[in-house]
Amino acid sequence: MIKKPMMGMAAMILVMPAFAAELASQQDTAKATPGDEQLLTDKVKVTSILPDRLEAVPGSFNVVDEKELKSRQPFSVREALNQVPGINIVGEDAFVLAPNIGIRGLNPRRTSRTLLMEDGMPLFLAPYGDPSAHYSTPLDRVSRIEVVKGSGQTLYGPQTIGGMINFVTKPVPKEFQASVMAIIGNNNFSGGHVNIGTGGDWGGIMLDAVNRKGDGIRRNHDFEINELTLKGQLNLDDRNTLIAKVGWYEENSSVSETGLGLVEYNEDKYQAPTGKQDSFNHTRKTLQLQHIFQVNDKAKLSTQFYYANSERASFRQINDPGGLGGRSEMDRCAGVVATEANSAQCGGRWRPRDFDYWGVEPRLDISHSLFGIESDAVIGFRYHKEDQNRNQYRDGNPLAQSLNWAIANGSHREDIRIDVEAKSYYAQNTFYLGNWSVTPGLRVEDVKKRTNIARAEGALQDIQYDNNETVYLPGLGVAWNGIANTTFFAGIHRGYAPPRPDRDIAQNTLGDVVASRTKAEKSTNIEFGVRSHYFKGVTVESTLFNIDFDNIVIGTGDGSGRFINAGKAQHTGLEIAGRVDLGTVYDTPHNFYVSGNYTSLFTAKFRNSRTIVDEDGDVTTDSFDSGNRLTYAPKHIASVNFGYQHPVGFEARIGVDYVSKQYADNTNTTAASLSGLTGTIPSYALISASASYRPIGSKATFFVSGHNLGDKEYLASRVDGMVAGRQRQVFGGVRYDF
């Protein structure tokens, strides 16, 4: 049952079309001019999560635009975002196929605490039930990347603790345009991108085709991705626009989610004993529809519908890295060491999972002065529905390396259905008071989750349970622009990450399957900062932030995959970033520049001690003390780049990225265990460089880019055993624009 505040907001949303139409009638009659039609057409803008008036944004944000993406030629999303302060990306695979992005010290595992979006549409397997990232928008289709970390998250959800990353795709063209790009590099890397589109006053249509393939970090970890995207826009009249986007994505890789034991890693950190049999197959189909009613120059009513279907099936043969004295054990062949020869003679475990979600979201953006104060308001509502079907099959027979055989003949170990219904209501108003802007907002999340465990650990079950809640997430931000080209800002908002049903399923020491029902993570987020380009050719920003968790969720650390609420935790740090363009400072077409960012996460700790026991309460599985540092929260992250831009179209850059030591477990163990799961992750620094040349008057651009040029060997993760970071990767290519 929806509570009264929700009913009020829902009623407000239901009358939005009538309110917008009435406003249009009144203001058009009073203020219509001959140029209104063109002005209204130009106001169609629905893909950004940042407002037009950036100086009024009461929180920290960063934008990586298309110019910078072309200049840096990032190999993956990891290189695209390493210039954004506060971000830590753990690279477990060569091309970041499954992004691990952490913001401000939050655990980066599968980006589950950072809201990933494309044109405002969530990208996770299941945004509420399983917010795991196994996909990010290929950079070939991106016009800019928006990163929002502070106040202003009221309008989006459900993950509002760490921040949001929105990939804004290229708009459909207003006339014919096309481009072709081909790239090639070491590690058998190659790829291509084709973009073709046309348009006019009626709208436009555009097709993108992307291919990438190559070898992984470890041997036998090759990968290939393919994607087709069709995007269209239809201008029905001067006020109504339809935008549609259809996408198909496929990943076929041999990247296993398991790492190496200590002995294996020391012998050869790039080996993958079961890589020839392991696989990860992912197919993703999406549809996004948007209708924009441009009421007038001051009001816009946009309605978005989205749908996504993901089918992923992973096969692996190791579930106990380092379990045999530092060497990994074949999962379905007990006592057999994992080697390439042994893997061919053994089966393993398949995890086919299907995810469907869809949603509809009307939103009204309006500039007004209803309170006698110039204001921008946003009112919106979203209905979201998702379904998960999680299965698992195991067998020791080598024929089980075929999914079809495993389904027909293997042991059906898991059959779990999860349904989620979520209603989100939000309202925000920005008041402009001279040099001040004040932005209060409120988001309400009403979430209902039902889990049906039909089979677990091979046994038939009949367990059903609900996990429902309604949360209120207020926020308040203030910005002051009393100094030219400078904004001082401060904000506070309530963060929220809903409970994940897939984390609520555990097995106690008696072998019984139980529902642990973790509670939602909630936090209070505060930040103070300044961004400025007061001095010609110089941009700087700095933000002091603090995140206080009420009930942080962590893994138990016993290898069971179980999660619990661990009480209070705190993240406090300072972000600094800047850039100096000497060409702008001295008014010369030859531009030498330096850019960099630094994050000091001086606090990332538990604020209470706890002993973790199994569900039956008898066996201690882990413990941590107040003051222990949180996992995968490096104290220092830094990046610096030096570059040169020549007026003939040549540009070159060299840079260094640094990440300090990290802990991999809650007890802050320093010595490496035989399993590889515990121990520190040492600090590392990586060198990168890029260069591009587009001759004046030419339609061709030539580029080369290199990452980890020193070919440094380093440890990237211990989540499922020890995983090495990517070796040297160099690639070059050409792009031709028609």
Side-chain angles (χ1 to χ4, degrees):
M1 180 175 179
I2 299 177
K3 296 184 180 180
K4 290 184 178 180
M6 295 184 185
M7 294 176 64
M9 297 185 75
M12 203 177 211
I13 293 163
L14 289 173
V15 302
M16 283 196 299
F19 175 68
E22 176 64 19
L23 184 65
S25 175
Q26 294 176 359
Q27 296 198 7
D28 286 353
T29 301
K31 300 181 180 181
T33 65
D36 275 353
E37 291 81 2
Q38 181 61 43
L39 177 62
L40 297 178
T41 301
D42 291 343
K43 289 288 286 184
V44 173
K45 181 182 179 183
V46 294
T47 58
S48 175
I49 63 174
L50 289 170
D52 292 330
R53 299 174 67 164
L54 294 177
E55 72 279 1
V57 176
S60 57
F61 69 88
N62 298 89
V63 177
V64 183
D65 59 24
E66 189 172 12
K67 180 181 178 182
E68 185 173 353
L69 290 173
K70 289 182 177 179
S71 169
R72 293 177 56 82
Q73 293 298 330
F75 182 69
S76 68
V77 67
R78 179 183 182 185
E79 292 76 32
L81 291 174
N82 65 5
Q83 286 296 288
V84 177
I87 286 186
N88 176 37
I89 301 181
V90 176
E92 294 180 0
D93 60 78
F95 198 60
V96 193
L97 300 172
N100 297 303
I101 304 174
I103 293 182
R104 293 180 169 174
L106 298 179
N107 195 311
R109 181 65 173 173
R110 297 295 180 259
T111 319
S112 62
R113 287 183 173 135
T114 300
L115 180 59
L116 283 186
M117 295 180 285
E118 178 182 306
D119 294 336
M121 171 183 168
L123 290 181
F124 294 120
L125 292 175
Y128 285 85
D130 190 354
S132 299
H134 282 277
Y135 170 86
S136 64
T137 306
L139 300 177
D140 308 271
R141 297 197 291 111
V142 172
S143 64
R144 69 182 181 277
I145 305 173
E146 302 171 324
V147 181
V148 178
K149 292 170 285 185
S151 296
Q153 299 189 54
T154 301
L155 306 181
Y156 300 92
Q159 308 294 331
T160 59
I161 293 178
M164 304 174 291
I165 299 175
N166 184 41
F167 298 92
V168 181
T169 62
K170 298 174 183 178
V172 295
K174 296 182 179 180
E175 59 184 11
F176 176 79
Q177 69 175 31
S179 66
V180 178
M181 181 176 68
I183 54 179
I184 191 170
N186 66 319
N187 299 321
N188 290 319
F189 178 73
S190 65
H193 172 234
V194 175
N195 172 275
I196 184 169
T198 188
D201 293 338
W202 56 272
I205 190 168
M206 180 174 67
L207 176 68
D208 274 283
V210 179
N211 170 267
R212 294 288 186 273
K213 59 183 177 180
D215 294 338
I217 296 174
R218 297 156 65 188
R219 287 187 298 279
N220 303 319
H221 271 192
D222 54 294
F223 69 91
E224 181 172 7
I225 64 169
N226 292 283
E227 184 177 68
L228 288 173
T229 308
L230 182 66
K231 186 176 183 180
Q233 177 174 322
L234 180 62
N235 300 325
L236 298 174
D237 55 36
D238 294 331
R239 298 187 184 280
N240 291 276
T241 301
L242 290 176
I243 298 176
K245 184 172 58 177
V246 180
W248 171 85
Y249 168 87
E250 182 180 64
E251 172 195 341
N252 292 296
S253 68
S254 298
V255 179
S256 171
E257 292 187 313
T258 53
L260 300 171
L262 179 63
V263 174
E264 294 167 315
Y265 188 85
N266 289 336
E267 288 177 345
D268 180 1
K269 58 178 58 68
Y270 300 118
Q271 66 173 305
T274 63
K276 288 186 177 180
Q277 275 65 244
D278 288 349
S279 65
F280 187 91
N281 305 313
H282 181 200
T283 301
R284 185 173 187 269
K285 299 180 284 288
T286 58
L287 170 65
Q288 188 173 12
L289 301 174
Q290 295 168 307
H291 172 258
I292 303 97
F293 173 38
Q294 192 68 49
V295 181
N296 56 30
D297 189 38
K298 293 183 177 294
K300 177 181 68 180
L301 177 63
S302 58
T303 302
Q304 173 180 230
F305 171 83
Y306 58 82
Y307 167 78
N309 167 260
S310 295
E311 298 178 1
R312 52 146 291 188
S314 62
F315 177 76
R316 70 186 196 188
Q317 296 183 300
I318 296 174
N319 203 51
D320 184 19
L324 298 176
R327 301 181 188 278
S328 299
E329 180 182 18
M330 297 297 298
D331 181 42
R332 296 293 93 195
C333 297
V336 177
V337 174
T339 65
E340 288 194 23
N342 290 340
S343 69
Q345 304 302 316
C346 189
R349 60 175 66 191
W350 277 100
R351 292 177 176 176
R353 297 172 182 175
D354 298 333
F355 303 85
D356 281 284
Y357 65 83
W358 63 271
V360 61
E361 180 176 9
R363 164 175 160 161
L364 177 64
D365 293 71
I366 180 171
S367 299
H368 66 90
S369 54
L370 294 179
F371 307 101
I373 302 172
E374 181 188 0
S375 301
D376 286 331
V378 180
I379 304 172
F381 164 75
R382 184 183 68 192
Y383 179 83
H384 176 95
K385 188 78 167 61
E386 62 188 47
D387 302 288
Q388 296 183 44
N389 186 2
R390 306 166 68 91
N391 284 277
Q392 184 176 155
Y393 301 89
R394 306 180 195 173
D395 200 281
N397 193 317
L399 294 176
Q401 296 169 19
S402 163
L403 176 58
N404 290 333
W405 189 95
I407 292 175
N409 303 282
S411 172
H412 191 183
R413 304 292 297 180
E414 180 179 281
D415 184 358
I416 300 172
R417 311 293 175 91
I418 300 172
D419 300 316
V420 179
E421 181 185 60
K423 304 182 187 76
S424 305
Y425 311 80
Y426 55 86
Q428 176 179 288
N429 194 90
T430 300
F431 298 94
Y432 301 103
L433 305 165
N435 292 324
W436 294 86
S437 60
V438 181
T439 306
L442 174 66
R443 184 178 188 88
V444 180
E445 290 277 0
D446 181 30
V447 185
K448 295 180 173 63
K449 301 181 180 180
R450 169 158 291 185
T451 302
N452 181 1
I453 306 175
R455 183 184 295 271
E457 294 303 319
L460 291 173
Q461 308 283 342
D462 186 17
I463 301 175
Q464 295 185 16
Y465 69 93
D466 296 331
N467 197 347
N468 306 329
E469 64 177 350
T470 300
V471 295
Y472 296 82
L473 307 170
L476 176 65
V478 179
W480 181 71
N481 297 280
I483 301 176
N485 301 317
T486 301
T487 300
F488 291 88
F489 59 86
I492 180 171
H493 77 272
R494 191 69 167 153
Y496 169 71
R500 291 175 52 176
D502 65 309
R503 290 180 168 178
D504 288 346
I505 303 160
Q507 186 179 26
N508 63 22
T509 54
L510 301 177
D512 298 323
V513 176
V514 295
S516 56
R517 301 198 190 190
T518 54
K519 298 178 181 179
E521 289 181 309
K522 298 176 184 177
S523 67
T524 300
N525 296 27
I526 301 175
E527 66 173 10
F528 302 90
V530 59
R531 50 181 177 267
S532 175
H533 54 99
Y534 180 84
F535 296 102
K536 181 180 178 181
V538 179
T539 60
V540 295
E541 63 175 277
S542 180
T543 306
L544 178 67
F545 62 87
N546 183 77
I547 304 174
D548 271 323
F549 276 94
D550 293 341
N551 217 351
I552 193 170
V553 174
I554 64 169
T556 58
D558 60 355
S560 67
R562 188 164 62 95
F563 290 79
I564 63 158
N565 290 106
K568 295 183 179 296
Q570 180 181 357
H571 297 242
T572 307
L574 177 68
E575 299 169 347
I576 302 173
R579 174 168 171 144
V580 178
D581 289 275
L582 296 179
T584 303
V585 173
Y586 294 105
D587 292 317
T588 172
H590 297 269
N591 182 36
F592 289 92
Y593 67 87
V594 57
S595 65
N597 71 85
Y598 168 66
T599 301
S600 174
L601 186 66
F602 39 82
T603 299
K605 65 181 181 180
F606 293 105
R607 293 178 58 191
N608 53 256
S609 302
R610 183 163 180 179
T611 297
I612 304 171
V613 297
D614 281 335
E615 289 296 332
D616 59 5
D618 292 335
V619 180
T620 300
T621 60
D622 195 6
S623 63
F624 58 86
D625 296 323
S626 178
N628 279 14
R629 193 164 182 89
L630 296 165
T631 60
Y632 294 91
K635 186 172 291 187
H636 306 285
I637 304 174
S639 178
V640 62
N641 287 270
F642 300 90
Y644 169 67
Q645 296 167 324
H646 192 281
V648 299
F650 173 78
E651 179 172 353
R653 174 200 63 86
I654 187 169
V656 178
D657 302 313
Y658 171 78
V659 179
S660 67
K661 180 182 72 174
Q662 304 166 69
Y663 290 107
D665 69 315
N666 305 316
T667 57
N668 292 177
T669 306
T670 56
S673 62
L674 289 176
S675 68
L677 296 172
T678 61
T680 58
I681 298 176
S683 64
Y684 58 88
L686 308 177
I687 301 173
S688 65
S690 61
S692 63
Y693 176 53
R694 181 170 183 142
I696 296 176
S698 173
K699 295 184 178 181
T701 302
F702 305 90
F703 56 87
V704 63
S705 186
H707 305 278
N708 190 9
L709 291 177
D711 205 21
K712 180 179 179 59
E713 296 183 351
Y714 66 100
L715 179 64
S717 173
R718 290 181 178 271
V719 171
D720 288 303
M722 302 178 74
V723 176
R726 188 180 61 208
Q727 311 97 307
R728 181 190 296 118
Q729 179 66 59
V730 179
F731 67 95
V734 59
R735 181 179 59 253
Y736 189 87
D737 300 305
F738 295 92

